[in-house]
Amino acid sequence: MFKTILLPIDLQHESSWKTALPAARRLLDEGGTLHLLGVVHDVGNAWVASYLPKGYEQRALEEMKAQLGDFVSRELGGVAGVTTHVGHGHVAETIIATAEKISADMIVMAAHPPDELRTFRVSSQADRVVRHSPVSVMLMR
């Protein structure tokens, strides 16, 4: 059992939490904390950013925070020990940085079924987290 678990989720895709959330709850110690992380992708390019409305990223961060709050109310209403975090940047890097920041004992996250061609071309976020995480990672499919 674990005292501090990080669960990164993509609120636009139920598959990112449908099986991972129950697994994380089962692994969590009594009195432990489940940290939910939503990541707002970094635009990463000044040229692209110039086409976005002024304040776009700040509004996206605020909206993510509100959506995470709604998610907790809907899916975890009444469950103690749940904290939400909004990250900004590259997904895998943000997950690892957040795990370090909160001193996570475990990261639980969803992963797509293996696809050798896609994995060869562009490594999945879950693969990057597994390879670089300082703590154990449980992938749910």
Side-chain angles (χ1 to χ4, degrees):
M1 301 299 266
F2 300 90
K3 183 176 173 153
T4 305
I5 295 178
L6 177 62
L7 176 64
I9 60 174
D10 180 346
L11 294 171
Q12 304 303 316
H13 298 282
E14 184 178 282
S15 62
S16 76
W17 57 267
K18 190 71 172 180
T19 58
L21 178 60
R25 290 187 63 193
R26 284 190 302 272
L27 292 168
L28 193 62
D29 279 340
E30 176 102 13
T33 304
L34 176 61
H35 295 264
L36 299 178
L37 172 65
V39 179
V40 174
H41 298 271
D42 184 11
V43 174
N45 184 311
W47 182 75
V48 172
S50 70
Y51 287 94
L52 298 172
K54 185 174 181 158
Y56 167 80
E57 287 182 326
Q58 184 60 40
R59 282 195 305 278
L61 292 166
E62 291 167 2
E63 186 175 320
M64 175 68 75
K65 184 71 172 170
Q67 289 176 353
L68 282 171
D70 292 344
F71 177 84
V72 169
S73 296
R74 185 179 66 250
E75 299 295 330
L76 296 164
V79 175
V82 177
T83 302
T84 61
H85 303 270
V86 176
H88 181 247
H90 298 287
V91 175
E93 292 172 9
T94 303
I95 292 168
I96 292 167
T98 303
E100 291 173 347
K101 178 181 173 185
I102 65 171
S103 300
D105 304 317
M106 164 76 81
I107 298 171
V108 176
M109 62 187 294
H112 298 289
D115 176 341
E116 290 303 318
L117 179 59
R118 183 175 48 199
T119 301
F120 178 74
R121 281 187 20 236
V122 180
S123 182
S124 72
Q125 300 300 327
D127 182 53
R128 290 179 183 146
V129 171
V130 168
R131 283 187 287 127
H132 299 286
S133 175
V135 298
S136 296
V137 179
M138 175 181 271
L139 298 180
M140 302 300 298
R141 295 200 168 126

